[in-house]
């Protein structure tokens, strides 16, 4: 099931208080990851996002070794971890911080039809169709055959112009595409489908 309505989110400095936020990029992962987890060995925290209407949250972790996720860039072998969990505040596990990303909060800034998003910059797009960096079917063909559909996109075109990165773009100025099993309002098994670079 494809959401016809889209929700667009952007990143703002954490010093901008007062606006409700739906997660954060950079910083420490949520507190639920403060307990030791060997499955995250060799991974760094990228971002976390509170899912609408679910009272749940997803956190995304990237392999510390860029070559790993460069070579495993798509389903069914995508090396990027997407973990769903209860809503949680930021934790204290600095060992999982990504040193190139300065923490920013994620806020909702626009609700619109999919057709209105074609040239609009965003950090996160939830719903609608993916805005592909490379329109090549081999990225999503197997996902669709296995019953997955596009859920959300994290796009580096929507990074703030200054203050977020102090190093290279994790996706080479590209985008990460998350897919899920969706049936009406039920969204399950959210995964990293693939990422693309420019």
């Amino acid at each position: 099931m494809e959401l016809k309505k889209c929700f667009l989110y952007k990143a703002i400095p954490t010093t901008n208080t007062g606006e409700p936020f739906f997660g954060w990029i950079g910083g420490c992962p949520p507190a639920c990851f403060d307990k030791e987890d060997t499955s995250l060995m060799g991974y760094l925290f990228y971002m976390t996002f509170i899912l609408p209407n679910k009272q749940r949250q997803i956190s995304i972790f990237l392999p510390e070794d860029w070559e790993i996720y460069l070579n495993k860039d798509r389903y069914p072998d995508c090396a990027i971890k997407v973990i769903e969990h209860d809503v949680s505040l930021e934790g204290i596990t600095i060992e999982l911080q990504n040193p190139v990303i300065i923490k920013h909060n994620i806020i909702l800034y626009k609700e619109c039809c999919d057709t209105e998003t074609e040239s609009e910059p965003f950090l996160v797009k939830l719903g609608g169709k993916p805005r592909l960096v490379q329109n090549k079917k081999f990225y999503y063909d197997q996902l669709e055959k296995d019953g997955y559909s596009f859920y959300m996109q994290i796009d580096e075109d929507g990074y703030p112009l200054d203050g977020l990165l102090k190093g290279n773009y994790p996706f080479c100025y590209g985008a990460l595409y998350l897919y899920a099993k969706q049936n009406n309002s039920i969204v399950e098994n959210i995964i990293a489908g693939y990422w693309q670079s420019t």
Side-chain angles (χ1 to χ4, degrees), residues 41-42 80 98:
M41 194 175 295
I80 295 164
N98 193 321

Side-chain angles (χ1 to χ4, degrees), residues 38-96:
T38 55
S39 71
L40 292 175
M41 194 175 295
Y43 279 80
L44 295 173
F45 174 67
Y46 176 60
M47 70 172 280
T48 191
F49 184 79
I50 298 171
L51 302 171
N53 304 322
K54 284 196 78 173
Q55 298 307 307
R56 298 280 285 167
Q57 193 167 341
I58 55 170
S59 291
I60 301 169
F61 294 84
L62 307 179
E64 196 168 359
D65 183 344
W66 186 80
E67 291 288 330
I68 292 174
Y69 69 98
L70 174 66
N71 294 315
K72 294 186 173 185
D73 63 346
R74 64 183 180 270
Y75 176 86
D77 297 315
C78 191
I80 295 164
K81 290 183 184 281
V82 178
I83 301 171
E84 185 173 336
H85 54 85
D86 292 332
V87 174
S88 177
L89 296 174
E90 186 177 11
I92 57 172
T93 309
I94 60 172
E95 295 82 8
L96 292 173

Side-chain angles (χ1 to χ4, degrees), residues 12-198:
I12 62 168
T14 55
T15 53
N16 292 14
T17 56
E19 293 195 63
F21 64 93
F22 292 81
W24 61 92
I25 182 169
C28 289
C32 58
F33 296 100
D34 283 347
K35 57 186 182 298
E36 191 172 341
D37 185 347
T38 55
S39 71
L40 292 175
M41 194 175 295
Y43 279 80
L44 295 173
F45 174 67
Y46 176 60
M47 70 172 280
T48 191
F49 184 79
I50 298 171
L51 302 171
N53 304 322
K54 284 196 78 173
Q55 298 307 307
R56 298 280 285 167
Q57 193 167 341
I58 55 170
S59 291
I60 301 169
F61 294 84
L62 307 179
E64 196 168 359
D65 183 344
W66 186 80
E67 291 288 330
I68 292 174
Y69 69 98
L70 174 66
N71 294 315
K72 294 186 173 185
D73 63 346
R74 64 183 180 270
Y75 176 86
D77 297 315
C78 191
I80 295 164
K81 290 183 184 281
V82 178
I83 301 171
E84 185 173 336
H85 54 85
D86 292 332
V87 174
S88 177
L89 296 174
E90 186 177 11
I92 57 172
T93 309
I94 60 172
E95 295 82 8
L96 292 173
Q97 275 187 324
N98 193 321
V100 305
I101 305 174
I102 307 297
K103 184 186 172 191
H104 279 57
N105 287 339
I106 297 170
I107 63 164
L108 174 66
Y109 79 95
K110 191 171 187 181
E111 183 179 331
C112 58
C113 297
D114 193 35
T115 53
E116 296 176 58
T117 69
E118 290 174 7
S119 60
E120 179 112 23
F122 54 80
L123 173 66
V124 175
K125 175 186 178 185
L126 178 70
K129 295 181 179 178
R131 188 165 73 194
L132 298 171
V133 176
Q134 301 176 38
N135 194 6
K136 296 177 180 176
K137 195 173 181 181
F138 65 78
Y139 279 105
Y140 54 83
D141 194 40
Q142 192 60 50
L143 282 157
E144 292 178 351
K145 285 178 182 174
D146 289 346
Y148 287 93
S149 57
F150 171 73
Y151 183 59
M152 67 185 275
Q153 173 174 351
I154 300 147
D155 201 304
E156 293 188 316
D157 186 40
Y159 285 170
L161 293 178
D162 58 353
L164 178 72
L165 291 178
K166 52 180 181 180
N168 294 327
Y169 283 76
F171 302 111
C172 303
Y173 203 71
L176 171 65
Y177 303 85
L178 305 189
Y179 277 63
K181 298 282 181 81
Q182 302 180 70
N183 184 11
N184 295 321
S185 61
I186 299 170
V187 177
E188 297 178 309
N189 199 17
I190 302 167
I191 62 169
Y194 49 91
W195 69 272
Q196 299 179 335
S197 60
T198 53

